[in-house]
Amino acid sequence: MDTNTTSNEYVRGTLKTIVLNLLAEQKRMYGYEITQEVKERTSGAIALTFGALYPVLHKLEQEGLLVTESVEVDGRLRKYYSLTTPGSEAARTKTDDLERFVDAIRLLLAPKGLATE
Amino acid sequence: MDTNTTSNEYVRGTLKTIVLNLLAEQKRMYGYEITQEVKERTSGAIALTFGALYPVLHKLEQEGLLVTESVEVDGRLRKYYSLTTPGSEAARTKTDDLERFVDAIRLLLAPKGLATE
DNA sequence: CAAATATATATAAGTTTTTTATATATGCAA
DNA sequence: TTGCATATATAAAAAACTTATATATATTTG
């Protein structure tokens, strides 16, 4: 029922980091699971689309940051993704960068002259 | 000297909102001024590129959210941008959306299970 | 039983956005 | 006079994203 999803335009650029960060936490996830987890954790504010997610997963795999293992569950194929060593490193770096970016955005959104806290 | 600029990939998608929000605050700014203000307010964390900024400014103008007035200062042309009424409305909406997005990102980056504060 | 919904992955076409490179032009400092 | 800061702008190319679509099973609903 699409609770209160924002237009998603802001996800641009952060998708890779979101994926890496979740995998750093959960060890092993499949695509569908990632979309559900993001939706749940953000109360529907961020809804990843498959058309964006899968290409990113494939690209991260190509870059050697992720590895996959396919498992059949109830007759359906489920493809688990997990971080490689360079993937864990990238997750740390990118998460830090995103945190800094988010802080910077808040500086911009806060009316000039107001203290940060 | 490029203090500590993040790779800028996160600016993707937020550029329009950053511009609208600054103009809502400052009433009237020119392109170069916008890049300087953003750099300053974020201590160099966010550095806008002209190749991205100008197309966005032109597009917002086309959409009727901004109007321009050209002023000659010291023999140089300076093009001031300011919000129209629909532009002010868009600034509010988009700023709110971005705030909600930023909050959602923090939920994702915070390790699962930890309280929001 | 049929239809809809949830689960699950994936690609292709088209559009939008962004990066990178480039052009133009003035004022000031070294 | 060379370089840097100021100032705007466009074009070509690359990257990213949206939208639409295909496939397939299990479960729920009418």
Side-chain angles (χ1 to χ4, degrees):
Chain A
M1 209 127 264
D2 202 290
T3 326
N4 59 334
T5 310
T6 60
S7 63
N8 252 17
E9 63 176 297
Y10 299 123
V11 177
R12 280 170 176 294
T14 60
L15 183 49
K16 218 177 243 186
T17 306
I18 289 172
V19 169
L20 289 172
N21 184 63
L22 280 181
L23 286 172
E25 237 182 69
Q26 314 268 49
K27 299 304 173 212
R28 178 176 118 144
M29 297 178 91
Y30 51 100
Y32 187 80
E33 189 184 13
I34 293 174
T35 65
Q36 299 309 301
E37 178 76 14
V38 167
K39 200 191 284 180
E40 207 183 291
R41 293 251 294 251
T42 65
S43 308
I46 300 179
L48 305 184
T49 58
F50 299 115
L53 178 62
Y54 286 116
V56 162
L57 286 171
H58 300 329
K59 207 187 168 195
L60 290 173
E61 191 184 359
Q62 262 182 260
E63 288 170 0
L65 302 181
L66 303 182
V67 284
T68 59
E69 57 183 310
S70 290
V71 179
E72 206 189 295
V73 180
D74 295 319
R76 289 193 214 93
L77 193 73
R78 195 179 274 181
K79 206 164 162 183
Y80 280 101
Y81 293 87
S82 49
L83 296 177
T84 59
T85 305
S88 296
E89 176 56 27
R92 264 190 298 278
T93 309
K94 287 192 154 288
T95 299
D96 286 354
D97 283 351
L98 184 51
E99 267 162 8
R100 264 187 275 119
F101 176 75
V102 162
D103 288 343
I105 283 291
R106 290 165 81 232
L107 287 175
L108 286 178
L109 295 188
K112 205 184 177 180
L114 261 75
T116 323
E117 197 345 39
Chain B
M1 208 128 266
D2 203 291
T3 326
N4 58 333
T5 310
T6 59
S7 62
N8 252 18
E9 64 177 297
Y10 299 124
V11 178
R12 280 167 178 296
T14 59
L15 183 49
K16 218 177 243 187
T17 306
I18 289 173
V19 169
L20 289 173
N21 183 64
L22 280 182
L23 286 173
E25 236 182 70
Q26 314 268 48
K27 300 303 172 210
R28 177 175 118 145
M29 295 179 92
Y30 51 99
Y32 186 81
E33 189 184 11
I34 293 173
T35 65
Q36 299 308 302
E37 178 76 13
V38 167
K39 201 192 283 178
E40 206 182 292
R41 295 251 294 251
T42 65
S43 308
I46 299 180
L48 306 183
T49 58
F50 298 115
L53 178 61
Y54 285 117
V56 162
L57 286 173
H58 300 329
K59 208 189 168 196
L60 290 173
E61 191 185 359
Q62 263 182 260
E63 289 170 358
L65 302 181
L66 302 182
V67 283
T68 59
E69 56 183 311
S70 291
V71 178
E72 207 189 296
V73 180
D74 295 319
R76 289 193 215 93
L77 194 73
R78 195 179 272 180
K79 206 163 161 184
Y80 281 101
Y81 294 87
S82 49
L83 296 177
T84 59
T85 306
S88 297
E89 177 55 30
R92 265 191 296 278
T93 309
K94 288 193 152 287
T95 299
D96 285 354
D97 284 351
L98 184 50
E99 266 162 9
R100 266 188 273 119
F101 176 75
V102 162
D103 288 344
I105 284 291
R106 291 165 80 231
L107 288 175
L108 286 178
L109 296 188
K112 205 183 177 179
L114 260 75
T116 322
E117 165 38 359

